[in-house]
Amino acid sequence: MASIDSIRREYERYPPSGFRRFTRWFTKRIPTRLYARALLIIIIPMVLLQSVIAFVFMERHWQTVTQRLSMAVTRDIAAIIDVLSTYPQDSDYDEIIRIARERLELNIAIEPPGDLPAPRPKPFFSILDQILSEEITRQVRLPFWIDTVGNSNIVEVRIKLEDKILRVFAKRSQAYASNTHIFLLWMVGTSLVLLVIAILFLRGQIRPILKLTQAAESFGKGQRMPDDFRPRGADEVRRAGIAFIKMRERIERQLEQRTAMLSGVSHDLRTILTRFRLQLALVGDGPELDGLNKDIDDMQSMLDSYLSFARGEAEEDVGTVSLNNVVEKVAADGRLRGATVSVSVQGDDEINVRPNAFDRLLTNLVSNACRHADEVSIEAVNRGRWLTINIDDDGPGIPADAREDVFRPFYRLDAARNQDETGTGLGLAIVRDIARSHGGDVTLSDSAMGGLRATVRLPA
């Protein structure tokens, strides 16, 4: 099997194709939440479908109907012109005006010869002006002037004949499919109604997923699961909720079993340690027995430390505490150790944590820094969704290749900052366990002060 480095080198050798680059670009710009993506899945096809329907309707139906209506009106105008040119008329053209009004529903007027008005500005979108002008040009083939602009229900056409000007007034509905907008309004209105219904149903389907997410986040932070959480929604969501509840119950049982086991082991070992102490006390005092007494004290300290942490993790509930008060208390304890401790707290003061566990987390880090450094800086920033605490010192630091090893239980450096006679090797292991039980983590890096930086990052 190829290693990760070989795969990375092969990937760098052959850069992503254009399609993959577009996919990455598109993925970064679409919403990340399920509700927003589901809305896009509903809205985009609906908008595309409505756009295609509207385009086809405009192209085929609206334009075709308007063209046929305009063709019919133009044919009537051409017939009137042929009658005027072929047959003699009375001086007032009363008969031809009557026939046009009664038979063709056109109001006409014959005026003395003259010039046609200047062309009016064409609207940006006017299918009637375009089609009617094309039909007059094709059928009449005489100079003309047309007015279709505005919201008037009348369309005026002026045609220049040899010795007169024919003015024709027609209803807009005779040459134009004027009721088409009703179809568009119905189409858009129906789409909006369906979209609102889809959004309401979608919210009902997304809500159980959000509840499951909140329950998982609360459990990951060590908080109680919401009391109103019940598996609801579709079958897949219900199955996921039931699986989460069973997983939570198994984890809680494991924690209880671990605590009970540690309590039993601690009780048995304490009994043995008590026997050792009694036997050593009966033997008497002597320099050769100091090492044995020291080992017994270390074993007792290890048992008490890890047992108290395990019991506190299993039993302590989440509460609201003041970040300023906790940091100042820890800083005061550090100053009692002889170090110079500076404090900086920014953002919201209230945080939701396990009070005792969080206090122990900071105490372990600050006391470890004060034990090996002269100056310590505590910077806490609680903004947005994260609480970040940086603890810097000017001590000897920890080698980069050992910064993950020091979080292992009972791990101790041979020649570094946490090698002291009173240590149990559980301090940083407990710190990381507390941070991860809150849904965060603890990392170590180089400090600007020359020593070590411990960064605690917890969800706010």
Side-chain angles (χ1 to χ4, degrees):
M1 184 178 293
S3 63
I4 298 299
D5 294 336
S6 63
I7 295 175
R8 185 182 294 109
R9 287 194 298 269
E10 191 71 16
Y11 181 81
E12 293 174 352
R13 181 179 177 185
Y14 299 100
S17 61
F19 177 76
R20 293 175 64 183
R21 286 196 296 269
F22 171 77
T23 302
R24 289 183 179 179
W25 175 86
F26 182 75
T27 305
K28 291 180 179 179
R29 281 158 179 78
I30 62 175
T32 57
R33 299 180 66 87
L34 176 62
Y35 184 63
R37 289 190 175 187
L39 284 180
L40 289 180
I41 293 174
I42 295 176
I43 294 175
I44 291 178
M46 183 175 294
V47 171
L48 292 177
L49 177 63
Q50 300 293 351
S51 301
V52 171
I53 293 176
F55 175 77
V56 173
F57 179 80
M58 293 277 292
E59 183 69 21
R60 299 294 177 88
H61 178 77
W62 195 4
Q63 185 174 355
T64 301
V65 173
T66 301
Q67 186 172 7
R68 290 179 180 177
L69 292 174
S70 298
M71 186 185 302
V73 172
T74 306
R75 189 183 297 117
D76 294 340
I77 295 175
I80 293 175
I81 295 174
D82 290 342
V83 171
L84 290 174
S85 302
T86 305
Y87 301 99
Q89 302 291 329
D90 55 89
S91 58
D92 295 331
Y93 302 98
D94 292 336
E95 289 300 319
I96 192 66
I97 292 174
R98 181 187 62 78
I99 294 173
R101 182 175 63 253
E102 295 178 357
R103 301 299 181 183
L104 304 178
E105 295 185 358
L106 298 176
N107 290 322
I108 66 173
I110 292 85
E111 298 179 350
D115 296 330
L116 295 175
R120 300 191 62 177
K122 302 298 181 183
F124 176 74
F125 177 78
S126 176
I127 189 174
L128 174 61
D129 188 283
Q130 177 184 356
I131 293 178
L132 188 58
S133 298
E134 291 176 356
E135 290 298 324
I136 294 175
T137 301
R138 185 177 63 86
Q139 296 188 38
V140 178
R141 299 178 182 178
L142 291 173
F144 68 92
W145 177 87
I146 187 171
D147 181 14
T148 62
V149 183
N151 297 323
S152 174
N153 294 324
I154 300 299
V155 175
E156 180 182 358
V157 179
R158 298 186 187 187
I159 299 176
K160 186 175 182 180
L161 305 179
E162 292 182 359
D163 56 349
K164 61 182 73 67
I165 291 180
L166 174 63
R167 297 184 66 181
V168 181
F169 299 91
K171 297 179 181 179
R172 183 179 290 267
S173 59
Q174 290 181 258
Y176 176 68
S178 58
N179 61 346
T180 306
H181 65 281
I182 299 177
F183 169 78
L184 296 177
L185 290 177
W186 270 101
M187 183 177 65
V188 174
T190 305
S191 301
L192 292 177
V193 172
L194 294 177
L195 185 60
V196 171
I197 296 175
I199 290 175
L200 294 177
F201 276 98
L202 182 61
R203 288 186 61 184
Q205 296 299 316
I206 295 295
R207 190 176 293 111
I209 300 177
L210 297 178
K211 292 288 187 181
L212 177 59
T213 303
Q214 294 174 359
E217 289 180 350
S218 299
F219 182 69
K221 296 177 183 179
Q223 302 175 0
R224 290 182 178 272
M225 194 169 63
D227 297 333
D228 59 344
F229 175 73
R230 297 289 185 277
R232 296 190 179 95
D235 290 341
E236 293 80 2
V237 181
R238 288 175 179 267
R239 291 168 58 187
I242 294 172
F244 168 74
I245 292 176
K246 293 181 178 179
M247 179 195 69
R248 178 182 61 85
E249 292 174 350
R250 287 194 299 268
I251 293 176
E252 290 179 346
R253 283 197 301 268
Q254 291 175 359
L255 291 176
E256 293 175 357
Q257 291 173 0
R258 186 186 69 171
T259 304
M261 180 190 67
L262 290 174
S263 298
V265 171
S266 173
H267 179 270
D268 296 339
L269 292 179
R270 282 177 177 175
T271 302
I272 297 174
L273 291 177
T274 303
R275 292 177 185 173
F276 287 168
R277 289 184 184 276
L278 290 175
Q279 292 174 3
L280 290 176
L282 293 175
V283 171
D285 296 333
E288 67 277 2
L289 301 179
D290 293 341
L292 293 177
N293 288 317
K294 172 78 169 51
D295 291 339
I296 293 176
D297 292 337
D298 289 343
M299 293 178 65
Q300 184 71 42
S301 177
M302 291 180 190
L303 289 173
D304 293 340
S305 298
Y306 200 72
L307 182 61
S308 62
F309 161 69
R311 184 180 295 114
E313 179 187 17
E315 297 177 359
E316 188 178 9
D317 294 330
V318 175
T320 301
V321 298
S322 171
L323 179 61
N324 283 277
N325 294 340
V326 176
V327 173
E328 288 293 345
K329 174 181 174 297
V330 173
D333 294 340
R335 296 186 186 102
L336 293 177
R337 296 176 178 269
T340 302
V341 183
S342 60
V343 174
S344 173
V345 179
Q346 302 176 19
D348 297 335
D349 182 52
E350 292 186 352
I351 55 176
N352 296 319
V353 293
R354 292 192 184 96
N356 294 331
F358 183 72
D359 181 79
R360 182 167 189 175
L361 182 151
L362 294 185
T363 300
N364 284 3
L365 290 175
V366 174
S367 62
N368 192 50
C370 293
R371 188 181 301 120
H372 302 281
D374 297 327
E375 294 186 4
V376 178
S377 173
I378 305 176
E379 180 183 8
V381 179
N382 184 22
R383 287 176 181 164
R385 300 177 56 187
W386 293 95
L387 165 63
T388 304
I389 302 175
N390 292 320
I391 301 174
D392 297 272
D393 62 57
D394 60 350
I398 295 177
D401 56 352
R403 289 173 182 168
E404 284 299 317
D405 295 334
V406 296
F407 289 106
R408 299 206 311 261
F410 307 110
Y411 179 87
R412 300 179 66 181
L413 295 174
D414 293 334
R417 50 188 289 144
N418 68 343
Q419 173 69 34
D420 73 86
E421 297 181 354
T422 61
T424 62
L426 290 173
L428 292 179
I430 292 175
V431 164
R432 173 161 281 185
D433 283 344
I434 294 175
R436 289 182 174 177
S437 69
H438 283 80
D441 203 355
V442 178
T443 57
L444 302 179
S445 60
D446 294 327
S447 172
M449 298 175 62
L452 187 72
R453 163 174 285 191
T455 301
V456 181
R457 197 164 186 260
L458 305 178

